[in-house]
Amino acid sequence: MKLDNRGLEPPQPMMRTLAALESLPKGKTLSIINDRRPMFLYEQLDEMGCKYETAQQEDGSFLIEIKK
């Protein structure tokens, strides 16, 4: 599942991501693209026990792969 959060103002990207994670089956991966590194989201993901990797893209955005 892929979610493009570019162009949204905080906290919309985090809210959209958390809502998408709720319906994501365990063991699946959610890919999100954000304009900024989602520092507050990382805390939530740690609490939820999700694994994640972040990679900065050439256009300055961030691709975050989140495994539930």
Side-chain angles (χ1 to χ4, degrees):
M1 179 177 202
K2 201 166 220 177
L3 191 62
D4 189 343
N5 291 324
R6 291 177 289 188
L8 300 175
E9 289 298 316
Q12 286 182 332
M14 187 163 94
M15 291 171 60
R16 289 182 75 214
T17 299
L18 293 174
L21 282 171
E22 280 183 25
S23 62
L24 188 73
K26 190 169 187 151
K28 296 293 182 182
T29 300
L30 172 65
S31 300
I32 65 169
I33 303 173
N34 284 12
D35 291 322
R36 301 168 192 81
R37 189 178 297 268
M39 301 311 292
F40 296 112
L41 177 63
Y42 295 143
E43 295 171 16
Q44 295 285 329
L45 295 176
D46 288 339
E47 287 179 19
M48 295 169 67
C50 295
K51 304 283 185 207
Y52 53 89
E53 291 184 16
T54 303
Q56 188 166 5
Q57 305 299 292
E58 288 183 16
D59 66 358
S61 65
F62 292 87
L63 172 65
I64 301 95
E65 300 279 339
I66 305 165
K67 184 162 185 170
K68 188 170 179 183

